[in-house]
Amino acid sequence: MKLTRRFYALQDGFGDTTSFKQDPLVQIHLPCPPLAEWLPVRLAGMKVAAWAPKQAPRRVRSVLAQWPALAPDEASGAGGATPDQLDALLFGVSLERPEPPESCLPALAPGTLIVELAVPRPRVIRGLLGLERRPLARAAAGQSRVLQWLARGYYNLEQWESVDPHGVVVTLAQARTM
């Protein structure tokens, strides 16, 4: 997981570091290129499908619509491909209440790339009041996503925040080898 955090050490009278305080002015996730530019380059030459793009959060539907759909009610999709034939699976979830495609994940072949596009919940009232966004809360939710993928046995995880669509937390992982 790639994070940019800066910590200040609080020292006692003897110069020993006793605790750390996180600097709230530093961004937690590294920004990345726009998804519409990055995904085609990253997934070039791979057999890719998007899981139920019509059920994904609105901000990522247009990104997922660029790929063949693998719907939950279909036995095969993405041009006749089944989940075990895919090289990469894209899906969109809500960051605070994620619902990954549970029925599809066990059928993936070892080494399949998972691309999760997690959209944070909109904070309308905070925006209307002119309050700052809460990057630490979003980072904690993103970190919990990484830990959940690790607990499932996935490896080679990366996570960063998209600049277009703005604020989407992108998590990449690979399916475990059997």
Side-chain angles (χ1 to χ4, degrees):
M1 187 164 71
K2 299 176 183 178
L3 300 176
T4 56
R5 289 193 222 192
R6 184 172 51 193
F7 290 93
Y8 293 111
L10 301 175
Q11 297 179 350
D12 61 13
F14 300 106
D16 294 329
T17 303
T18 56
S19 63
F20 293 97
K21 176 183 174 190
Q22 189 169 5
D23 183 359
L25 300 177
V26 177
Q27 289 185 0
I28 301 299
H29 288 100
L30 294 172
C32 74
L35 290 177
E37 296 174 14
W38 178 82
L39 280 174
V41 173
R42 175 65 173 91
L43 302 175
M46 299 175 114
K47 191 163 197 167
V48 181
W51 179 263
K54 293 180 182 177
Q55 297 173 1
R58 234 180 270 149
R59 287 199 330 207
V60 295
R61 282 183 195 162
S62 63
V63 174
L64 294 174
Q66 297 173 1
W67 304 96
L70 185 64
D73 55 348
E74 294 179 9
S76 65
T82 57
D84 60 341
Q85 297 172 334
L86 295 176
D87 296 323
L89 177 67
L90 293 146
F91 58 93
V93 296
S94 169
L95 183 59
E96 287 81 7
R97 293 185 182 165
E99 295 178 17
E102 298 293 344
S103 62
C104 183
L105 293 177
L108 294 175
T112 301
L113 180 67
I114 303 291
V115 181
E116 178 186 73
L117 307 176
V119 178
R121 184 176 56 143
R123 309 281 183 181
V124 177
I125 294 178
R126 291 185 70 84
L128 291 174
L129 296 175
L131 300 173
E132 292 183 20
R133 293 170 45 203
R134 298 176 46 195
L136 295 179
R138 187 172 54 246
Q143 184 180 25
S144 73
R145 294 301 306 137
V146 168
L147 294 175
Q148 288 175 7
W149 285 113
L150 286 172
R152 290 173 182 238
Y154 287 76
Y155 68 98
N156 200 15
L157 277 100
E158 292 181 37
Q159 188 176 67
W160 30 267
E161 188 173 324
S162 170
V163 295
D164 183 30
H166 180 69
V168 174
V169 177
V170 180
T171 305
L172 285 88
Q174 285 188 307
R176 64 185 165 272
T177 56
M178 300 296 170

